Amino acid sequence: MKAQGATFSDYLELTKPRLSLLSVLTALVGYAASRPPRDYFVVVSLILGTSLAAAGVAALNQWLEVETDARMRRTAQRPIPAGKIPTGSAFVLGCLMCIVSLFYTYAMIGRLAALFTLLTIIAYLGFYTPAKRWSRWSTEIGAVAGAFPPLIGWAAGEGRISALGWILFGILFFWQIPHFMAIAWNYRDDYSAVHFPMLPVRDRTGGTVALYSLVSAVLLVLLTLLPVALGLDSIWYAAAAAGSGAWFIWRAIGFLRAELRELAARRLFYASIAYLPIVLGAMVADRLL
């Protein structure tokens, strides 16, 4: 595919900056929630290392999926299928960013943080990306990959992963299920066109998709309350987690209504975007203050 004068914004788009930013922010949440000693060098190193890994994974993911991206409306204008960036350039850039992120994280933060960075890269590119072509469980595999960044941050802050770190992993995992089901339901025709066998493609009525989203949302909210039961967070955090969780579950319940499912999916998607920073922000504030 011939590239036509790639610009800085094209290369920036190749790194999926919004998705990469989510990885960086959740890594910082893990770091802050571990209540580490104040060390700005580690914070900057965590930001740089996680940013490079997330950007490299995004570039390599688009390199791997250029054929299917070109056939879907929502992805056809990405830099590689649109002919703005050569496939070879995307591959080299993605590999370099991933390799540099691993060495940098190992040298500046430590082995455990570098290990979780490596696991993120392997889980996303080695398992999630190919699984989208053949497995019903690709969403769950992707959710595992997306839940690793808080562990990178926790490892940077504490040097090990304690109970709350694993709870953060679980929160990110379960949050991604209703979040992505809401997206995939409204783009199910795109995914069907490239024969991705994910649940919203197989379940044409959407009833199972909606029920699965609701169950995941309930498990998510219960998990957010576990730190209070374990004495790791206070009643103030519990109030924020319960209140925002009730709203999120209400949006997931709305997804069950067949006659309004497209609208409810969009509402659930936007609710998921608002919910995550509320509950994670409340956790960090409670831990630090």
Side-chain angles (χ1 to χ4, degrees):
M1 188 173 294
K2 185 177 179 180
Q4 302 175 352
T7 64
F8 174 78
S9 63
D10 295 327
Y11 281 100
L12 181 63
E13 186 181 353
L14 185 69
T15 67
K16 295 184 180 178
R18 287 180 293 182
L19 187 59
S20 297
L21 178 61
L22 178 62
S23 296
V24 174
L25 291 177
T26 54
L28 288 173
V29 165
Y31 177 79
S34 70
R35 294 194 289 203
R38 184 174 297 177
D39 190 334
Y40 295 112
F41 178 80
V42 173
V43 173
V44 172
S45 297
L46 179 62
I47 292 171
L48 290 176
T50 309
S51 296
L52 283 169
V57 165
L60 288 174
N61 172 253
Q62 291 178 74
W63 172 74
L64 287 167
E65 295 191 327
V66 60
E67 293 183 5
T68 52
D69 279 354
R71 292 159 55 193
M72 293 191 292
R73 288 174 300 170
R74 66 183 293 262
T75 56
Q77 293 307 308
R78 284 178 175 174
I80 304 177
K84 298 174 183 177
I85 294 178
T87 54
S89 297
F91 174 75
V92 171
L93 183 61
C95 286
L96 283 175
M97 287 191 289
C98 286
I99 292 169
V100 170
S101 74
L102 290 171
F103 281 100
Y104 181 83
T105 302
Y106 181 86
M108 299 301 176
I109 301 177
R111 289 181 295 178
L112 189 58
L115 173 62
F116 282 117
T117 303
L118 177 61
L119 289 174
T120 303
I121 294 170
I122 292 173
Y124 202 98
L125 297 176
F127 292 94
Y128 171 57
T129 298
K132 284 196 280 186
R133 296 176 178 267
W134 55 265
S135 177
R136 143 71 183 88
W137 301 103
S138 60
T139 301
E140 291 76 10
I141 295 169
V144 171
F148 277 128
L151 297 184
I152 300 172
W154 198 282
E158 196 175 52
R160 64 188 183 95
I161 309 299
S162 53
L164 188 56
W166 290 112
I167 290 171
L168 275 171
F169 175 87
I171 289 172
L172 263 292
F173 175 85
F174 283 110
W175 171 80
Q176 289 174 86
I177 304 301
H179 173 76
F180 186 74
M181 287 296 157
I183 296 173
W185 179 251
N186 279 324
Y187 287 103
R188 62 193 184 279
D189 290 338
D190 264 3
Y191 292 124
S192 178
V194 294
H195 308 294
F196 283 176
M198 56 185 57
L199 181 59
V201 172
R202 298 166 62 134
D203 175 30
R204 298 307 295 179
T205 67
T208 304
V209 173
L211 182 60
Y212 188 42
S213 299
L214 175 59
V215 171
S216 299
V218 171
L219 292 174
L220 167 64
V221 173
L222 291 175
L223 193 58
T224 64
L225 296 173
L226 183 58
V228 182
L230 296 176
L232 301 173
D233 278 295
S234 74
I235 193 67
W236 302 108
Y237 162 75
S244 59
W247 171 60
F248 192 48
I249 290 173
W250 176 59
R251 286 302 190 196
I253 291 172
F255 195 20
L256 293 172
R257 297 180 61 187
E259 67 275 14
L260 297 173
R261 190 154 285 145
E262 272 69 23
L263 175 60
R266 289 192 294 272
R267 287 175 173 171
L268 179 59
F269 169 72
Y270 290 121
S272 71
I273 293 175
Y275 168 80
L276 189 65
I278 291 172
V279 72
L280 294 184
M283 177 181 289
V284 169
D286 189 66
R287 295 278 294 174
L288 295 181
L289 301 178

